[in-house]
Amino acid sequence: MHDMYEHSTENIWSGEPNHALTIHAEHVTARTALDIGAGEGADADWLHTRGITVTAVEPSPTAAQRIRELNPDINVIEATFDKAPLTSYDLVIAFYTPLLADAATLTALINTVNPGGTLLVVHHTDISRMAEHHQRPIGDFLTPDKLKNLLPDDFHIDYFGEAKRTINGGQGAAHTHDLVIKAQRT
C-alpha cells in the first residue's frame, strides 16, 4: 500500500481534532483510549489533554513519527490494526480508517472495547476516494452504517447519524458530511 504521508514534509491534515470527536467524546469517561488509524495524531493528542492514556495505531512510519513529535506521551504502535498487539480500552475511536467489513476485523474491533466502554467510528459519507486509494470496492469497508447492523447485543447505540463538519485546512477540508456511530458496551 502506498504511504500517503511519506512524500509530504508538512502535515497533510488540519492538525485540529475531528469535530465528531469533540462532540461525541467530550463527556465520555475513560482512563484509556485507542485511536485506530491515528494519522498525524490530532485526535490522540486531544484525548491525552483530557488525562486519558492513549494508544495510537498508525501504519505509516512518517505519520507515526509525527505523532511521537506532537506528543511523546502517546503510545504509538506502528502497524495496521490487524497486526497491532492490542488489549482493550475504555474508548476506541476509528476516524476515516479503512477497516475491512469482515468477521476477523469486526471481532478484533469488538474485543478492543472494555465492558462499559465506548466505540466511536466515523467515515465521510462519500468514501469513494478511500476505496480508490486502497484499490478495493466501497462495500469492502466497515462503515458506520454497516457497523450499526453488525454490533453484538452487548452494545447499545448512543448515536447514529450524519453530521456536518467544517475544517479550515488540510486534505480533508473538502469533506463536509460524515456518518457517525457511537456505541457503548454493557
Side-chain angles (χ1 to χ4, degrees):
M1 184 188 81
H2 168 71
D3 182 347
M4 65 191 286
Y5 299 94
E6 85 179 315
H7 297 295
S8 173
T9 57
E10 301 290 325
N11 284 0
I12 63 173
W13 307 119
S14 70
E16 298 296 320
N18 282 290
H19 184 69
L21 177 68
T22 64
I23 297 295
H24 294 285
E26 177 69 33
H27 301 292
V28 169
T29 301
R31 291 185 331 269
T32 59
L34 174 64
D35 184 354
I36 303 168
E40 294 162 329
D43 293 342
D45 186 56
W46 185 85
L47 291 167
H48 183 266
T49 64
R50 277 143 184 77
I52 300 171
T53 300
V54 182
T55 297
V57 173
E58 175 52 54
S60 163
T62 303
Q65 183 57 35
R66 289 178 184 168
I67 297 168
R68 291 181 187 103
E69 290 168 2
L70 176 66
N71 189 330
D73 292 327
I74 294 170
N75 175 31
V76 179
I77 299 174
E78 198 175 307
T80 56
F81 174 69
D82 61 322
K83 303 275 194 271
L86 302 171
T87 59
S88 59
Y89 306 83
D90 299 326
L91 173 63
V92 176
I93 66 170
F95 283 68
Y96 323 115
T97 303
L99 297 175
L100 296 179
D102 59 32
T105 302
L106 180 64
T107 299
L109 182 63
I110 287 165
N111 288 340
T112 63
V113 183
N114 279 334
T118 301
L119 175 63
L120 180 61
V121 178
V122 178
H123 267 291
H124 300 307
T125 53
D126 176 9
I127 65 165
S128 59
R129 281 186 54 197
M130 183 179 74
E132 182 180 308
H133 176 76
H134 293 282
Q135 300 177 339
R136 295 189 75 112
I138 289 172
D140 285 0
F141 296 102
L142 186 59
T143 54
D145 52 332
K146 284 186 188 168
L147 187 57
K148 179 178 184 264
N149 296 317
L150 295 172
L151 284 174
D153 292 341
D154 63 339
F155 279 83
H156 168 76
I157 296 172
D158 293 331
Y159 179 83
F160 174 76
E162 196 171 302
K164 289 187 177 187
R165 66 183 223 132
T166 303
I167 300 293
N168 293 322
Q171 285 189 14
H175 294 279
T176 59
H177 290 82
D178 287 339
L179 192 58
V180 178
I181 186 167
K182 178 183 177 183
Q184 185 166 4
R185 190 170 200 174
T186 55

